[in-house]
């Protein structure tokens, strides 16, 4: 985490509104208040917590923080480092190979194209347009090269 | 206007797109597909890996529209394109639900329907429709009313339920990255919904739709929990209320269906004159 984020977290008063608003925290080890506290008190990096992957990014914590700390954005940023170190969890691993190959995180299959045909809809997602797909693939390759492999 | 389908609508729920064109045609608003558009890309998943990647693909999609209004029907696509447009200072990005509410209005919707749909519905907004409030200034980040009023405009009832503003459990990459957590959250949400008497869950996002619909099938297998509650996108209901054949909405392809719901959609009630 950079200094800018560190300065924002310094505003935390440990009131617990974030974790009190966190549905994911009810059923998982994700504890936003504690993650911020350990960072403030002991300098534990935010990205040390694997539980960050349990955040559904509902933004309730960020919306309600009385100190205006962008908790969800901090979690998303910390995930960059977590992904660099340990890779992506579960089926998320496949998602970016789809994005690179098909320019779609959710690629269409034959069955899906049949549904479109049945409804009389055109097929126009970049996945099915060679030039557009290559253009997007290049962007993905360029950015992911230094991130995950 | 240009319609931005994103992966989920183009590749999984084309009936949402069909319904949207029917509704816009009925309202005499010109709209055509945004050709060559890609994955938006999904906001939380992509930002978790690279903010720059998210920004660059988002920017490409916005520029394809050449300043024409971009209409979305997915909370994820809306979030990415809307936030990117604010960051780069170009692009007019809308979500169909807030567009219908603010630009068309519930009064006009009431007058445009040919039949009322007497349904009891559990409204689910989806977190990224109304949060973060920093960007989505058009509604309350705690208690939005837009979808409840849109549902009432087609003669349906929005049934209050516990955990109404809770996430479906599908967001943030949790559905793919931590499937068990996603199912646990979905179960809490569905338990709360099933405590009420409802015909269906209504959403404004194909990711939420997928989570509620396919997620119920998955819960049957992994947790032996069976709910049998159909899920629909609001635009599918509106199209039917405006006279479209229910089959063209594609609801027959959803995992959970109910003959009761389809009967109510086919029959409807006489609209007010």
């Amino acid at each position: 985490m950079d200094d800018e984020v560190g300065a924002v977290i310094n505003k935390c008063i440990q009131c617990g509104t974030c974790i009190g608003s966190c549905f994911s925290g009810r059923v998982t080890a994700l504890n936003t208040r504690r993650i911020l506290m350990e960072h403030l008190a002991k300098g534990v990096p935010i990205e040390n917590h694997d539980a960050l992957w349990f955040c559904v990014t509902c933004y309730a914590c960020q919306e309600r923080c009385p100190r205006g700390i962008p908790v969800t954005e901090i979690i998303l940023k910390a995930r960059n480092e977590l992904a660099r170190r340990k890779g992506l969890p579960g089926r998320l691993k496949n998602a970016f190979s789809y994005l690179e190959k098909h320019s779609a995180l959710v690629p269409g299959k034959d069955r899906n194209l049949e549904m479109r045909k049945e409804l009389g809809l055109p097929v126009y997602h970049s996945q099915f347009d060679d030039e557009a797909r290559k253009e997007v693939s290049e962007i993905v390759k360029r950015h992911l090269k230094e991130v995950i492999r | 206007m240009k319609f931005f389908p994103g992966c989920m609508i183009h590749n999984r729920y084309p009936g949402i797109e069909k319904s949207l064109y029917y509704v816009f045609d009925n309202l005499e608003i010109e709209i055509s597909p945004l050709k060559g558009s890609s994955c938006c890309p999904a906001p939380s998943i992509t930002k978790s890996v690279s903010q720059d990647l998210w920004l660059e693909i988002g920017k490409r999609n916005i520029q394809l529209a050449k300043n024409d209004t971009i209409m979305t029907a997915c909370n994820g696509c809306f979030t990415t394109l809307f936030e990117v447009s604010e960051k780069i200072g170009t692009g007019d990005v809308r979500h169909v639900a807030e567009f219908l509410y603010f630009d068309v209005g519930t009064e006009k919707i009431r007058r445009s329907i040919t039949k009322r749909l007497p349904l009891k519905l559990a409204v689910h907004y989806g977190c990224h429709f109304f949060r973060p409030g920093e960007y989505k200034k058009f509604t309350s980040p705690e208690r939005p009313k837009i979808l409840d009023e849109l549902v009432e405009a087609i003669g349906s009832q929005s049934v209050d339920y516990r955990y109404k503003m809770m996430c479906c459990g599908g967001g943030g990459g949790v559905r793919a990255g931590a499937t068990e957590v996603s199912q646990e959250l979905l179960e809490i949400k569905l338990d709360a919904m099933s405590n009420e008497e409802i015909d269906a869950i209504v959403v404004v996002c194909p990711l939420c739709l997928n989570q509620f619909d396919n997620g119920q099938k998955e819960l049957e297998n992994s947790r032996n929990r069976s709910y049998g509650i159909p899920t629909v996108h609001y635009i599918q209901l509106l199209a039917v209320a405006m006279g479209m054949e229910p089959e063209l909405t594609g609801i027959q392809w959803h995992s959970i269906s109910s003959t009761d719901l389809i009967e109510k959609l086919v029959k409807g009630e006489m609209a007010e004159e």
Side-chain angles (χ1 to χ4, degrees), chain A residues 27-135:
Chain A
V27 297
T28 70
L30 179 64
N31 186 332
T32 46
R33 184 198 58 78
R34 179 176 288 177
I35 288 171
L36 296 183
M37 182 268 283
E38 288 183 352
H39 180 74
L40 284 166
K42 305 181 210 163
V44 177
I46 307 283
E47 58 267 25
N48 272 20
H49 304 272
D50 291 340
L52 295 181
W53 290 114
F54 299 148
C55 170
V56 292
T57 68
C58 75
Y59 284 92
C61 55
Q62 177 164 326
E63 206 63 63
R64 294 171 185 174
C65 175
R67 302 290 285 162
I69 299 172
V71 186
T72 314
E73 298 298 341
I74 288 170
I75 289 173
L76 288 173
K77 209 165 180 185
R79 280 180 175 183
N80 292 357
E81 185 55 31
L82 200 51
R84 234 173 244 124
R85 279 194 212 159
K86 298 184 178 176
L88 292 161
R91 286 180 288 124
L92 269 184
K93 281 187 201 79
N94 313 331
F96 287 92
S97 61
Y98 295 151
L99 187 63
E100 184 179 317
K101 192 174 171 201
H102 304 291
S103 70
L105 280 167
V106 183
K109 302 167 199 154
D110 290 346
R111 167 75 193 122
N112 307 121
L113 297 186
E114 277 166 32
M115 284 156 71
R116 294 192 68 83
K117 203 175 163 189
E118 243 178 88
L119 296 176
L121 292 168
V123 171
Y124 61 94
H125 189 291
S126 60
Q127 184 190 346
F128 306 100
D129 173 332
D130 287 348
E131 203 179 314
R133 190 185 60 247
K134 276 178 197 153
E135 198 186 317

Side-chain angles (χ1 to χ4, degrees), chain B residues 68-81:
Chain B
D68 205 350
T69 295
I70 300 173
M71 187 58 61
T72 61
C74 166
N75 293 352
C77 298
F78 175 54
T79 294
T80 284
L81 299 180

Side-chain angles (χ1 to χ4, degrees), chain B residues 12 26 31 39 42 84 90-91 104-105 111 149 184 201 245-246 268:
Chain B
R12 291 290 182 276
N26 190 292
I31 191 158
C39 180
V84 171
T90 174
V104 178
R111 289 197 307 271
E149 290 181 27
E184 183 109 25
I201 301 163
E245 289 294 326

Side-chain angles (χ1 to χ4, degrees), chain B residues 42 44 56 64 68 85 102 118 181 210 242 254 256 265-266:
Chain B
S44 300
E56 193 170 339
L64 281 178
D68 205 350
S85 76
F102 292 110
V181 174
N210 182 50
M242 285 179 168
H254 295 192
I256 311 285
L265 290 181
V266 172

